[in-house]
Amino acid sequence: MHILEPPRLPDDGRSYQLCRAASGLLCLLISDPAADAASCVVQFAVGSHDEPEDLPGLAHLLEHMLFMGSAGYPQAGSFPQLVSEWSGRFNASTAAERTRYHFSVNPAGLGACLTQLTDMLAAPLFAPEAVAAERQVIDAEFHTRLADDALHEQAALGQMFNPSHPLSRFSAGNLASLNLEPTALAQALRQFHEKHYRAANGCLLLHAALPMDQLELLANELDARLPIGKSASRASTGPLFSPQRLPGLLRWQNRGKQEQWLLLFALDDAHTAEDSKALRWLCEWLASPAPAGGLGWLRAQGLAAQLNVRTQRYTGQQTLLRIEVEPLVAASDYPALLGGFFSWLAALRATPISDWPQDARQQLADQAFFNGPQGEPLRWLTALAERTLYELPEQILESTGQWAHSCEQAWHRLLQQIRPERVLLAQSQSDSTNLPQRTAWTDTRFASSQLRWQPAAGDGNALAEAGWPIWAVSSPEIGRRSVTAMPGLHMIPSPKAPTAGQGMETTRFARCWPEGQLGRHQRDRLKALWSLQLEPLDNWANASGLSLHWHDEAGLISLELQGPDKALWVGAAAALAALAQPPDLSLQRLAEHRYQKSLNERTHTLPAYRLLDELEVLLSPITSQPRDAADAAQPSAAQVVWLHPQPWQSEQLEPIAASLQSLCPRVAQPFHWQPPAARSVEEGTGTVPVDCHHADRAQILYCQARTSGISERACWQLLQQHISASFFDQLRTRQQLGYWVVARYHEVAGTPGLMLLVQSPTHDHEQIETAITAWLKGEQERLAGLPFEQVQSQAQRLATHLRAQSSTPSGQLELHWARGLGLPGATIHEQCIALEQLSHAMWQETLQDWLEQPRRLHLFSKDMSVAP
């Protein structure tokens, strides 16, 4: 391995090593003493844009086939079983120009899982019968995705892209597009794999609490197995859009009934360092809800509720700027929205970049860089892997790059490309009126035309500095109010996490309602409002390395902030101060709009999600439901739990506590909240039909434990580890029931349970139910014949995993939280003891509870998408 030297490295307690093997494989190894789990990402620079034009979906099928047996592990589906044994998770995905495989497991299982993944990548079998079977799964996935607006949007946009560009092609794959005889298709897969799955075309990222020399050994093992040779080159395919298509108006029929508009711009000059810097500035201005931000500007005019910005680079130094807009106006009023957007752009163009707080923004970027990547490791590992496609290796870790001293020439060159004559406006609509055309593969209705619109003449005035996005937040003033005078404020100090210099801390605020007072609709309305109140802080928080997350538990809503210690205190005070401000009427209307949108999305989501949603309702503690919005739970009726870093001094606690008192006056009353219990399922099987707007059939068989004791929680988690791979293998791999087949542990308010879920576009309810029943019978026989020593061995492994997980900084934090509130998670140590002392009688009682004296709910989808 040749060590590469980035210009700088984060100072976050982790050790980083960037290296390239002689084969060309690029490796980023991260030794992190605070890592909860071991995570791995392997990515190849090959995707749907590289597949033969006569075999759309071949790259997607190849990704699936790697899990269907390899030279050293011929059993299809054995990798999910292995990952399950190490208490982990895995996934894979195919995009336009990359294919990615990743997993996260107990650290002790990293070597075994990486060894099998290496064999899968290097020596897949491509047995013709397995290819034919997995092609059926690809087809099932395709039919399921026909209810997904993203697929139809992609198909409609494909009609507008340059016909010579791969973005214009169908890439999902189905039986018709992959219609070769199985032996010939297997040979096409083998050739595609040999061409692209080479070390020089890939990268490996590892993150674990292991010494660097052990990570190097693992990287070398992967590198030794991958084929060597020059990486396949990808030819430039010309411009993204044909000039005669622009400016364009595209209308297409959605399936989810949610209107969304897109403003698309092809950027030809956004690949140099200065151009990339300008593009980052533009995206930040665009997405800001501040009055001078793009989103804030459109909201103030009543034109849009939400705006999201994404950029995607493609071969040939082409970049697609994608601005997603949730409109508040009718489709025919698009001139008003375009007028508002380009008037804001004119004002931004008139705002001198020399006046921007570039040094302050650079300071935030530097701070975030040195604090290191934050959040869930697989999330930021995949983001780093994505950067390997387009960045120089030494720049991969530079996730924020440079902000200060922007080049005015690059800035205006960028804005020159975002003009009315270069825009493609794409509008989704729920009806097919006046949409005469259909796409070839997805049968998406659409219509396209020239965009007959011109902006009003006039020069833009500069954006007012008072309305600029927030790039700095002041520290709160220290007062003299006593925190101890608030008996209803339940404080849980958490000891400083042993993170070896990362300086990361967590604080969490939970509002707790008396039992029966916080229903689901009240909760969702409150979260919609609170998230809008915090939106103006998002820009500063992200730049400061702070993450904000909402969590739901029975009877409470909590806001968690995590980040560098110094920024955390300032951010927590600013967040609570924002929540303490009474929302004006426009914000309340926007919150209600967001809530109603979430209800509509919930109604039209995929059947599996609808069933999961209904299961939550059925199992949640009983609450009094509001008659209308005016009956929603009042924040003032809640009491507060506050988990804070123990080192914070009283003068730091006081200004935050003052905001909490303003938010929740009941902190003056003694704290008496108790966690509510889940509803109990009666013995036998209750059948629940659920209305769904989708033709796929979905079923959930939920099985609840008889009690919520410590041994039951331990044993049902162990049971899930023994059955999940078997359920997947039998119903998905062997019987081809559908794309989505999963068995998982499902705990509600401390009560353990198992959930068996199947969604199928090809099998009816009777076939699905018959398959689940037959599997249950076969599983009863299999588990009865399983040597108890094997059960004990897995129980020991699970106990080791749970104990290791609870000893990490995040695990310790959750323990403090659970103990402080009396939640079931406080018993993790006792669960480990129960697993280590597992008796044959205890195991048999668990099997009997699950199979012979069951307490079950059987949910099945009822198709409402067509008239009876």
Side-chain angles (χ1 to χ4, degrees):
M1 293 281 182
H2 172 65
I3 306 298
L4 303 176
E5 297 291 345
R8 59 179 184 170
L9 291 172
D11 182 21
D12 59 358
R14 304 180 180 111
S15 296
Y16 295 81
Q17 182 168 297
L18 182 66
C19 48
R20 191 184 291 280
S23 64
L25 179 72
L26 185 66
C27 301
L28 177 58
L29 312 177
I30 306 173
S31 175
D32 183 358
D36 297 6
S39 302
C40 168
V41 175
V42 180
Q43 178 173 281
F44 292 91
V46 56
S48 59
H49 285 190
D50 303 289
E51 62 198 10
E53 290 191 40
D54 60 341
L55 285 175
L58 189 70
H60 187 196
L61 178 60
L62 175 59
E63 171 223 309
H64 278 236
M65 285 305 304
L66 262 63
F67 294 91
M68 294 297 110
S70 58
Y73 303 85
Q75 178 61 48
S78 59
F79 187 71
Q81 173 68 49
L82 179 65
V83 172
S84 177
E85 290 174 2
W86 289 108
S87 305
R89 57 195 176 91
F90 74 97
N91 212 335
S93 62
T94 302
E97 297 187 353
R98 61 98 182 130
T99 306
R100 180 183 300 146
Y101 305 85
H102 63 255
F103 65 82
S104 181
V105 293
N106 183 314
L110 175 60
C113 293
L114 185 56
T115 296
Q116 180 163 353
L117 179 61
T118 299
D119 198 67
M120 292 159 51
L121 296 170
L125 293 179
F126 298 127
E129 62 274 14
V131 170
E134 203 59 26
R135 178 171 56 181
Q136 293 291 142
V137 175
I138 292 287
D139 192 65
E141 180 182 350
F142 168 73
H143 282 91
T144 294
R145 288 188 61 204
L146 283 174
D148 183 355
D149 281 346
L151 183 68
H152 293 281
E153 177 193 283
Q154 182 184 31
L157 288 175
Q159 313 305 307
M160 306 298 292
F161 287 118
N162 180 356
S164 66
H165 198 281
L167 280 174
S168 66
R169 304 201 306 245
F170 174 66
S171 61
N174 59 18
L175 277 177
S177 72
L178 299 166
N179 62 353
L180 293 180
E181 186 270 330
T183 301
L185 186 56
Q187 181 60 23
L189 285 165
R190 190 171 291 108
Q191 292 173 351
F192 191 69
H193 174 267
E194 290 176 354
K195 179 179 181 181
H196 296 285
Y197 276 60
R198 299 174 178 269
N201 207 34
C203 65
L204 166 69
L205 296 89
L206 291 175
H207 170 252
L210 294 175
M212 188 61 73
D213 58 351
Q214 292 187 32
L215 296 178
E216 289 175 3
L217 287 174
L218 292 171
N220 277 308
E221 290 175 9
L222 174 70
D223 177 57
R225 288 293 312 279
L226 291 177
I228 60 173
K230 188 177 179 181
S231 61
S233 59
R234 183 183 294 119
S236 178
T237 50
L240 292 174
F241 294 108
S242 299
Q244 62 270 24
R245 290 283 194 179
L246 301 178
L249 174 63
L250 171 70
R251 291 173 292 130
W252 57 275
Q253 184 183 7
N254 60 31
R255 307 297 171 95
K257 312 304 179 185
Q258 291 287 350
E259 287 192 5
Q260 180 173 285
W261 299 0
L262 291 177
L263 300 176
L264 297 177
F265 297 90
L267 307 178
D268 301 321
D269 298 306
H271 57 278
T272 68
E274 287 299 330
D275 292 327
S276 296
K277 186 191 303 185
L279 184 56
R280 282 194 296 273
W281 272 110
L282 176 64
C283 291
E284 191 150 317
W285 276 100
L286 267 168
S288 175
L295 173 58
W297 183 279
L298 294 177
R299 278 181 178 172
Q301 299 181 53
L303 297 171
Q306 191 60 41
L307 184 150
N308 296 300
V309 188
R310 284 193 289 158
T311 61
Q312 179 60 54
R313 291 169 62 176
Y314 296 99
T315 298
Q317 298 179 338
Q318 301 171 93
T319 300
L320 184 65
L321 174 63
R322 174 189 173 99
I323 305 171
E324 303 172 358
V325 179
E326 182 185 331
L328 289 174
V329 294
S332 58
D333 291 336
Y334 70 82
L337 189 138
L338 289 175
F341 172 78
F342 282 104
S343 68
W344 170 81
L345 202 63
L348 180 63
R349 185 179 290 110
T351 305
I353 65 173
S354 57
D355 294 345
W356 298 353
Q358 298 188 56
D359 290 334
R361 186 62 183 85
Q362 183 63 54
Q363 185 177 2
L364 288 177
D366 290 339
Q367 176 181 301
F369 174 82
F370 287 115
N371 286 328
Q374 302 301 318
E376 205 282 318
L378 272 183
R379 182 188 61 80
W380 51 261
L381 279 178
T382 53
L384 290 174
E386 191 75 13
R387 289 177 61 82
T388 66
L389 295 175
Y390 307 106
E391 304 294 340
L392 295 172
E394 294 80 2
Q395 296 297 315
I396 292 172
L397 286 169
E398 287 281 357
S399 57
T400 54
Q402 298 296 312
W403 290 80
H405 312 300
S406 296
C407 172
E408 189 163 355
Q409 182 180 8
W411 174 247
H412 289 290
R413 184 167 61 241
L414 171 64
L415 295 186
Q416 274 297 105
Q417 298 184 74
I418 308 174
R419 302 192 308 273
E421 61 268 26
R422 292 174 60 96
V423 67
L424 171 64
L425 170 63
Q427 298 177 307
S428 70
Q429 60 186 58
S430 57
D431 64 87
S432 59
T433 306
N434 298 323
L435 301 180
Q437 297 174 278
R438 297 173 183 259
T439 59
W441 295 97
T442 62
D443 200 35
T444 307
R445 287 183 174 272
F446 75 97
S448 61
S449 63
Q450 287 290 119
L451 183 63
R452 308 295 182 184
W453 172 84
Q454 287 293 329
D459 297 327
N461 296 317
L463 295 167
E465 186 174 347
W468 288 3
I470 297 174
W471 281 295
V473 173
S474 302
S475 298
E477 294 184 8
I478 303 297
R480 297 185 177 183
R481 189 175 304 183
S482 173
V483 177
T484 58
M486 304 178 192
L489 174 58
H490 182 47
M491 301 179 68
I492 307 175
S494 62
K496 186 171 178 62
T499 51
Q502 286 188 27
M504 305 304 295
E505 294 286 359
T506 301
T507 189
R508 187 179 295 174
F509 306 93
R511 303 193 202 190
C512 311
W513 279 262
E515 187 169 356
Q517 288 195 15
L518 181 64
R520 174 186 182 178
H521 296 289
Q522 299 106 311
R523 177 196 66 195
D524 291 348
R525 273 194 166 96
L526 289 172
K527 284 175 58 180
L529 176 61
W530 293 341
S531 62
L532 283 168
Q533 288 177 293
L534 292 180
E535 260 189 357
L537 288 173
D538 285 349
N539 177 71
W540 172 83
N542 293 333
S544 301
L546 286 179
S547 60
L548 286 75
H549 300 287
W550 293 102
H551 299 279
D552 286 338
E553 295 177 72
L556 59 82
I557 305 173
S558 60
L559 171 64
E560 178 181 287
L561 295 89
Q562 185 179 59
D565 186 34
K566 292 181 180 179
L568 183 64
W569 175 61
V570 176
L576 291 179
L579 292 174
Q581 294 296 318
D584 59 27
L585 185 58
S586 63
L587 197 65
Q588 293 180 50
R589 288 172 176 167
L590 199 57
E592 182 63 19
H593 171 86
R594 179 171 290 187
Y595 166 71
Q596 294 296 336
K597 179 190 175 187
S598 70
L599 285 183
N600 189 56
E601 289 176 342
R602 191 177 292 159
T603 301
H604 290 89
T605 191
L606 289 173
Y609 288 120
R610 278 286 296 125
L611 266 58
L612 286 168
D613 191 57
E614 189 63 26
L615 182 63
E616 178 194 345
V617 173
L618 293 171
L619 297 177
S620 295
I622 298 174
T623 56
S624 56
Q625 294 298 316
R627 291 187 299 274
D628 53 41
D631 291 332
Q634 296 299 317
S636 58
Q639 293 188 300
V640 181
V641 179
W642 179 16
L643 181 144
H644 64 85
Q646 193 173 46
W648 282 8
Q649 303 298 314
S650 59
E651 59 268 20
Q652 292 178 280
L653 302 177
E654 187 280 325
I656 298 177
S659 292
L660 289 173
Q661 187 173 37
S662 174
L663 279 168
C664 303
R666 288 190 72 243
V667 295
Q669 303 175 23
F671 186 84
H672 61 270
W673 182 83
Q674 295 292 329
R679 299 189 193 185
S680 296
V681 177
E682 296 181 358
E683 192 167 307
T685 301
T687 303
V688 183
V690 180
D691 292 343
C692 298
H693 295 270
H694 192 287
D696 274 18
R697 275 71 61 189
Q699 293 188 24
I700 286 179
L701 184 64
Y702 169 75
C703 314
Q704 189 181 69
R706 189 167 300 276
T707 68
S708 56
I710 292 170
S711 61
E712 282 78 12
R713 297 182 72 222
C715 288
W716 279 65
Q717 291 181 74
L718 177 62
L719 181 60
Q720 183 270 337
Q721 291 203 332
H722 278 284
I723 70 168
S724 60
S726 168
F727 188 71
F728 183 88
D729 179 57
Q730 290 293 325
L731 275 69
R732 184 187 184 278
T733 304
R734 297 178 186 273
Q735 298 184 48
Q736 305 277 309
L737 251 66
Y739 172 65
W740 195 351
V741 178
V742 65
R744 68 173 61 143
Y745 178 74
H746 192 78
E747 182 177 304
V748 179
T751 301
L754 288 173
M755 182 184 67
L756 310 177
L757 184 153
V758 176
Q759 179 174 307
S760 175
T762 55
H763 293 67
D764 60 32
H765 279 301
E766 184 178 355
Q767 291 172 312
I768 297 172
E769 187 173 356
T770 299
I772 293 176
T773 302
W775 175 82
L776 284 168
K777 182 178 179 181
E779 202 64 6
Q780 186 171 13
E781 297 172 357
R782 185 183 74 86
L783 292 174
L786 202 64
F788 184 61
E789 294 78 11
Q790 186 174 337
V791 177
Q792 285 180 308
S793 176
Q794 185 61 30
Q796 293 284 340
R797 183 179 293 176
L798 177 58
T800 300
H801 168 71
L802 293 175
R803 187 169 278 119
Q805 200 173 47
S806 66
S807 64
T808 61
S810 61
Q812 287 291 305
L813 184 84
E814 293 305 323
L815 269 179
H816 279 282
W817 180 254
R819 288 169 180 163
L821 282 174
L823 299 174
T827 65
I828 192 70
H829 178 68
E830 291 79 3
Q831 291 179 55
C832 292
I833 294 175
L835 288 167
E836 291 166 340
Q837 297 177 353
L838 181 70
S839 66
H840 187 268
M842 188 186 300
W843 177 243
Q844 291 302 314
E845 287 177 9
T846 302
L847 294 181
Q848 184 180 29
D849 193 13
W850 176 45
L851 295 167
E852 297 179 22
Q853 295 177 313
R855 309 162 71 90
R856 297 173 178 168
L857 289 176
H858 184 200
L859 287 71
F860 64 92
S861 63
K862 183 179 177 184
D863 184 12
M864 306 294 290
S865 61
V866 294

